Amino acid sequence: MALAYVPGYSHDVFLSYARGDDPAWLGTFEDALCTAVRGRLGQEINVWRDTERIRVGQDWQREIAKAISSTAVFVAVLSPS
């Protein structure tokens, strides 16, 4: 995992999506986003996505609020789901 590019933040991008979205598509989208940003910045970015961060039994609402407040950019994926 890369450290945040934007100073003062733990994560560069918070990726928000619906539970019904296809995980493979989301992974491809995240990879494409990271590749595009790396091409412009010349550096890796840190993306927060809850499927990789929240464990069973954790207070998911608190964890998501904490992640949003420590992230520089919020990306909302809009889909039929």
Side-chain angles (χ1 to χ4, degrees):
M1 168 176 35
L3 295 174
Y5 176 80
V6 179
Y9 291 94
S10 300
H11 316 286
D12 296 303
V13 176
F14 181 101
L15 188 56
S16 177
Y17 61 94
R19 286 276 176 220
D21 290 338
D22 177 23
W25 184 89
L26 287 165
T28 300
F29 177 81
E30 182 179 341
D31 291 344
L33 177 65
C34 289
T35 298
V37 172
R38 183 177 52 245
R40 292 188 180 262
L41 299 179
Q43 184 172 333
E44 296 292 326
I45 60 169
N46 181 294
V47 176
W48 194 98
R49 184 161 57 125
D50 71 332
T51 58
E52 301 170 358
R53 309 279 181 157
I54 297 177
R55 293 179 210 67
V56 173
Q58 278 186 301
D59 181 356
W60 63 270
Q61 291 171 322
R62 191 180 99 228
E63 291 298 318
I64 288 175
K66 181 176 151 187
I68 290 170
S69 68
S70 66
T71 302
V73 176
F74 184 95
V75 174
V77 175
L78 303 177
S79 70
S81 295

